[in-house]
């Protein structure tokens, strides 16, 4: 099913993508207004702040709730910025409408749940407000599109998708793996749907905000949603990934916003997919080596030889044959595994000889 969409018409400056910025959570009236004033003075047109916070574990700060909505209203009145917050339940929608919130987004944990999405869609029937839908925590494009279809079928026409990365057990580089091929495929399937990048939740670290924003621009994303806090180190949630309005402005000033030209855009997207896959390869390789080192420890404790020829042969044969089935030459794949094996043997020899 196609989405029935209308243009968003959100405020932005010509030379920059549209940006929604603000703290992860609304903590106090002072924190909200101080951050908002600083962002507005940097030319920011849209303000975000989480009022209801979906937390992984119970007992933490779960958001100020309704108490924080007048603060957002004040931001809007004082600075003229549009204000946005996350909704996860029908009563959140009702309250946002009551306090004049301009834009709603649906979080990654909610968009993964069709029951919750349908409840939200029902609450949004007959309402005219832009709704942005974050990707579900799991890398499932159909689930993401399905979540947006429910909202769209309720009559919401001003929509955008927010790419915030995908949960993974392994959090080496990113807090949430970007898996750029998924938003790229979404764009191919629904070209008229704007896509916004959330570098804060993908990266989980301040130093990754700038490169992730640039990567989103290189891929032709339409906008950014970035967490910014007047005092990031003291933030009550997501402290490590928030930047001050000053730093955000600097990051945005360095962004190269490229024109989409038909001839080079295709190859650029493909190269980004390659880069992403290479990152995954590196990740997998280092995980594999970690396990090899554990095996090295076991061999040492049980006085076994590092080289186990039967096991080595089994790997080369099995992967070589698999390579042929995957459209590669079996010699090439066997060679790759010879090299990998060589490195694991080297590392295990180091381990068994450790005093
Ligand atoms: C957020 O935007 O602060 C948030 C909770 O994000 P996500 O739903 O992407 O985890
Ligand atoms: Mn956050």
């Amino acid at each position: 099913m196609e989405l029935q969409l209308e243009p968003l018409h959100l405020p932005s400056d010509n030379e920059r993508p549209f940006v929604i910025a603000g703290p992860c959570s609304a903590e106090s009236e002072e924190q909200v207004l101080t951050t908002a004033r600083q962002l507005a003075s940097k030319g920011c047109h849209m303000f975000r702040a989480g009022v209801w916070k979906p937390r992984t574990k119970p007992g933490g700060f779960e958001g100020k709730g309704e108490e924080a909505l007048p603060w957002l209203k004040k931001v809007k009145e004082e600075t003229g910025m549009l204000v946005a917050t996350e909704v996860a339940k029908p009563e959140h929608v009702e309250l946002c409408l009551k306090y004049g919130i301009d834009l709603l987004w649906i979080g990654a944990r909610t968009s993964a749940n069709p029951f919750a999405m349908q409840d939200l869609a029902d609450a949004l029937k007959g309402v005219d407000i832009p709704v942005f839908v974050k990707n579900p925590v799991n890398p499932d494009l159909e689930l993401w599109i399905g979540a947006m279809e429910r909202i769209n079928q309720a009559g919401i026409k001003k929509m955008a998708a927010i790419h915030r990365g995908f949960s993974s057990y392994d959090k080496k580089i990113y807090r949430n793996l970007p898996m750029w091929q998924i938003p790229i495929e979404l764009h191919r399937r629904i070209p008229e749907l704007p896509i916004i990048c959330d570098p804060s939740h993908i990266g989980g670290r301040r130093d990754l905000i700038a490169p992730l924003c640039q990567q989103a621009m290189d891929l032709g994303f339409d906008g950014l949603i970035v967490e910014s806090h007047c005092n990031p180190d003291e933030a009550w949630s997501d402290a490590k990934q928030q930047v001050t309005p000053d730093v955000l402005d600097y990051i945005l000033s360095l962004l190269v916003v490229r024109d989409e030209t038909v001839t080079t855009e295709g190859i650029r997207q493909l190269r980004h997919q390659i880069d992403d896959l290479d990152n995954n390869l590196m990740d997998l390789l280092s995980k594999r080596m970690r396990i090899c080192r554990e095996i090295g420890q076991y061999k040492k404790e049980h006085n076994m030889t590092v080289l186990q020829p039967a096991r080595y042969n089994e790997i080369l044969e099995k992967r070589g044959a698999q390579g042929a089935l995957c459209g590669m030459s079996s010699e090439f794949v066997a060679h790759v595994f010879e090299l990998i094996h060589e490195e694991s043997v080297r590392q295990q020899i180091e381990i068994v000889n450790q005093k």
Side-chain angles (χ1 to χ4, degrees), residues 6-11 18 103 130-132 157-160 194 196:
E6 279 169 14
L8 282 174
H9 295 306
L10 294 179
F18 80 76
L103 192 159
V131 177
F132 291 6
K157 300 265 166 63
K158 298 192 186 90
M159 295 187 69
I196 293 149

Side-chain angles (χ1 to χ4, degrees), residues 248-260:
L248 176 61
D249 183 58
Y250 179 64
I251 290 172
L252 295 176
S253 73
L254 294 179
L255 274 190
V256 182
V257 183
R258 303 179 203 281
D259 285 332
E260 259 198 47

Side-chain angles (χ1 to χ4, degrees), residues 24 48 53 175 201 227 238 241:
C24 177
R48 65 149 283 160
K53 298 305 299 177
R175 177 176 176 194
H201 292 90
E227 286 188 340
D238 290 350
Q241 69 197 33

